[in-house]
């Protein structure tokens, strides 16, 4: 059985990482049997090439990291049932939207509110701890990990932008997702495709979170995105 290494579950998602969630959703949609295991964070840099989750260990011991690489690997090894008959143009669109979500929406709609804003960070740390009384050791580890994330945030140039600018960009991303989805039942049309795992993950990691931030309310105001989430829940239980 495929093993997916992850952080911990929270609110409506199987993992607090949108990237892990994306892989879990893809495997669920594809009917692939898998199990999840919690990652020992003290070994994160040793166990993963990039020092990040997710990674999978396949039944033959093959280790693959990075959510997009994992999906490509699974498609290659186990078949691409979700994307049968997809045109080259549609593949290009799916690649572009996945890149937007992974490399842009993630930073402006997940990292900004969850890691940069102190009130939401304190809420997030309590979710991770599973208690309002965060143990001193866990707080120290969490603060160190937060510094690591925010250092990437600053290095990427995001930390030089104000929250207003970042959330304006987040709203533009949700506009793009909503406008492209339109009245279609799934993101690419009448059938679910692999990109639906990516789209649904970022929506659950924005709209369903307990954090307070303007872009969350904006995304939740998009009725077609909320209805889409409901359809994915009904069909796949995710």
């Amino acid at each position: 059985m495929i093993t997916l290494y992850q952080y911990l579950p929270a609110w409506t998602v199987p993992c607090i990482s949108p990237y892990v969630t994306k892989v879990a959703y893809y495997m669920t949609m594809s009917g692939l049997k898998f199990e999840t295991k919690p990652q020992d964070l003290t070994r994160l840099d040793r166990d993963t090439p990039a020092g990040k989750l997710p990674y999978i260990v396949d039944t033959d011991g093959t280790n693959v990291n990075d959510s997009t690489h994992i999906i490509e690997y699974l498609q290659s090894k186990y078949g691409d049932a979700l994307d049968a008959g997809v045109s080259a143009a549609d593949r290009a669109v799916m690649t572009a939207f996945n890149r937007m979500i992974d490399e842009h929406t993630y930073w402006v709609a997940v990292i900004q509110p969850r890691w940069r804003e102190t009130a939401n960070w304190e809420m997030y740390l309590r979710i991770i701890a599973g208690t309002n009384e965060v143990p001193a050791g866990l707080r120290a580890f969490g603060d160190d990990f937060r510094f690591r994330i925010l250092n990437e945030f600053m290095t990427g140039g995001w930390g030089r932008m104000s929250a207003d600018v970042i959330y304006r960009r987040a709203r533009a991303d949700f506009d793009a997702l909503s406008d492209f989805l339109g009245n279609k039942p799934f993101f690419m049309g009448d059938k679910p495709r692999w990109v639906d795992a990516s789209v649904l993950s970022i929506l659950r990691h924005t709209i369903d979170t307990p954090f307070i931030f303007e872009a969350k309310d904006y995304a939740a105001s998009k009725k077609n995105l909320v209805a889409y989430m409901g359809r994915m829940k009904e069909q796949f239980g995710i």
Side-chain angles (χ1 to χ4, degrees), residues 87-99 180 187-188 195:
S87 68
D90 279 353
R91 287 190 187 280
V93 169
M94 290 192 289
T95 297
F97 269 108
N98 183 64
R99 291 285 191 271
F180 186 80
F187 197 66
M188 297 303 298
V195 76

Side-chain angles (χ1 to χ4, degrees), residues 49-199:
K52 298 178 180 179
L53 296 181
Y55 72 94
I56 64 167
V57 177
D58 203 351
T59 52
D60 62 0
T62 300
N63 186 317
V64 187
N65 76 299
D66 182 88
S67 61
T68 299
H69 292 165
I70 291 170
I71 291 174
E72 290 171 349
Y73 165 83
L74 294 172
Q75 289 171 328
S76 175
K77 182 169 181 179
Y78 295 101
D80 197 9
L82 287 176
D83 289 358
V86 170
S87 68
D90 279 353
R91 287 190 187 280
V93 169
M94 290 192 289
T95 297
F97 269 108
N98 183 64
R99 291 285 191 271
M100 181 191 83
I101 291 167
D102 280 0
E103 308 299 340
H104 189 271
T105 318
Y106 169 74
W107 293 100
V108 298
V110 175
I111 296 300
Q112 167 66 31
R114 198 181 301 185
W115 293 89
R116 191 184 190 191
E117 297 176 9
T118 300
N120 284 330
W121 164 248
E122 287 296 328
M123 185 186 303
Y124 192 35
L125 189 57
R126 285 163 173 75
I127 290 171
I128 294 169
T131 176
N132 287 330
E133 301 298 328
V134 181
L138 180 58
R139 174 169 289 280
F141 181 85
D143 286 342
D144 285 345
F145 205 82
R146 184 190 187 198
F147 176 81
R148 172 175 168 168
I149 296 294
L150 291 181
N151 186 55
E152 294 180 16
F153 194 65
M154 181 63 73
T155 302
W158 304 106
R160 297 178 182 274
M161 299 179 188
S162 68
D164 287 345
V165 171
I166 285 178
Y167 285 140
R168 183 166 71 241
R169 297 180 71 147
R171 292 195 300 272
D173 282 6
F174 291 119
D175 282 341
L177 292 172
S178 177
D179 290 345
F180 186 80
L181 174 64
N183 294 322
K184 300 191 296 292
F186 300 102
F187 197 66
M188 297 303 298
D190 293 336
K191 298 179 180 179
R193 304 296 188 184
W194 78 265
V195 76
D196 285 288
S198 183
V199 174

